[in-house]
Amino acid sequence: MNKILFFFCNLITVMGICILFITNILNKVFPMMGRVAFQAATAGGYSPSDYTVNFTVINIFAILLILVGVLTSYKIYKNDDILSK
């Protein structure tokens, strides 16, 4: 098996999962930080939507990383399985 390529395909998949995880955490944390900043400033009005970041493009890129990593990893695994018989 081409172990190095297989490893990097799986690494790409894990990176995609980590990106999705981090963007999800940031979408939960930013409105909380905005509320703290609003309370410290005591000016204007607070709305959680003002502190929500649009990570759509980054999430699509992360999903593509996961798909490419999994499909390439599977293809490498299957090709090695056929060649070793």
Side-chain angles (χ1 to χ4, degrees), residues 57-74:
V57 175
I58 295 172
N59 287 341
I60 290 172
F61 179 69
I63 290 170
L64 287 175
L65 279 177
I66 294 169
L67 288 175
V68 168
V70 167
L71 292 175
T72 308
S73 168
Y74 177 75

Side-chain angles (χ1 to χ4, degrees), residues 25-79:
I25 289 174
L26 291 177
N27 271 335
K28 303 287 184 196
V29 170
F30 280 168
M32 287 186 238
M33 290 172 50
R35 180 143 181 100
V36 170
F38 165 73
Q39 288 175 344
T42 62
Y46 171 75
S47 173
S49 63
D50 293 340
Y51 298 97
T52 304
V53 181
N54 186 4
F55 287 118
T56 305
V57 175
I58 295 172
N59 287 341
I60 290 172
F61 179 69
I63 290 170
L64 287 175
L65 279 177
I66 294 169
L67 288 175
V68 168
V70 167
L71 292 175
T72 308
S73 168
Y74 177 75
K75 192 171 186 176
I76 292 168
Y77 181 76
K78 279 302 193 185
N79 283 342

Side-chain angles (χ1 to χ4, degrees), residues 1-40:
M1 181 182 338
N2 193 350
K3 293 177 184 176
I4 295 172
L5 188 57
F6 187 74
F7 170 76
F8 281 113
C9 288
N10 289 323
L11 184 65
I12 287 172
T13 303
V14 170
M15 283 175 42
I17 293 169
C18 287
I19 290 170
L20 287 176
F21 184 69
I22 290 170
T23 56
N24 191 17
I25 289 174
L26 291 177
N27 271 335
K28 303 287 184 196
V29 170
F30 280 168
M32 287 186 238
M33 290 172 50
R35 180 143 181 100
V36 170
F38 165 73
Q39 288 175 344

